[in-house]
Amino acid sequence: MISVKLQLILLMFILLATFQLIRMITRYKLDLKYALLWLLLATISLCLVIFPSILYKTAELLSIEIPSNALFMLAILLVLIIIFSLTIALSRASNKIKTLSQELGILKYEFESLRKMLEKE
């Protein structure tokens, strides 16, 4: 089991991180759709700090001998999920930027064509 002192330190860190995350959301520095995964991570971390027996049960369920290895595995899995979701968001943004750039180029071309037609008249 983890010591009470370590539990309190981790609890303070998680609460401060969650508070900062919520502040960023309310100040519109972070979109809620991207913050949901971080809030999920904070909730899971909070549960593991308050109830460390969950980690021991999870390690036992997954046939992992050392609970810290189960924690690392879960952390890596969650980080991969976050990276995947951010990759999807980046791909969507990249496609939108490409489309907007192409539309802007077409509009500039049409504008210049109209300008030249008006100058000829």
Side-chain angles (χ1 to χ4, degrees):
M1 289 299 241
I2 62 174
S3 68
V4 175
K5 185 177 180 180
L6 180 59
Q7 277 183 306
L8 291 175
I9 291 170
L10 290 172
L11 183 64
M12 291 290 288
F13 177 75
I14 293 167
L15 292 177
L16 285 173
T18 304
F19 175 73
Q20 180 64 22
L21 183 65
I22 292 171
R23 269 187 59 206
M24 290 178 74
I25 293 169
T26 57
R27 292 182 178 186
Y28 300 105
K29 292 185 178 184
L30 184 63
D31 286 340
L32 183 61
K33 62 184 174 183
Y34 302 121
L36 287 176
L37 285 171
W38 292 109
L39 288 172
L40 175 68
L41 175 66
T43 304
I44 291 171
S45 300
L46 191 63
C47 289
L48 289 176
V49 166
I50 295 172
F51 307 108
S53 60
I54 293 173
L55 185 59
Y56 289 93
K57 298 281 186 197
T58 304
E60 186 180 314
L61 183 69
L62 297 173
S63 299
I64 299 174
E65 290 183 31
I66 303 172
S68 61
N69 289 344
L71 179 64
F72 286 129
M73 186 193 76
L74 293 173
I76 290 170
L77 181 65
L78 198 58
V79 167
L80 286 174
I81 290 170
I82 291 171
I83 290 171
F84 184 69
S85 72
L86 291 176
T87 301
I88 291 171
L90 180 65
S91 295
R92 287 181 185 160
S94 177
N95 287 336
K96 285 181 182 179
I97 289 170
K98 182 177 75 174
T99 302
L100 287 172
S101 298
Q102 291 170 347
E103 289 176 0
L104 179 62
I106 292 169
L107 287 173
K108 278 185 176 181
Y109 176 76
E110 290 175 353
F111 178 75
E112 289 300 321
S113 297
L114 286 173
R115 177 186 272 170
K116 287 179 183 177
M117 278 180 39
L118 289 175
E119 287 176 356
K120 289 181 181 178
E121 293 177 8

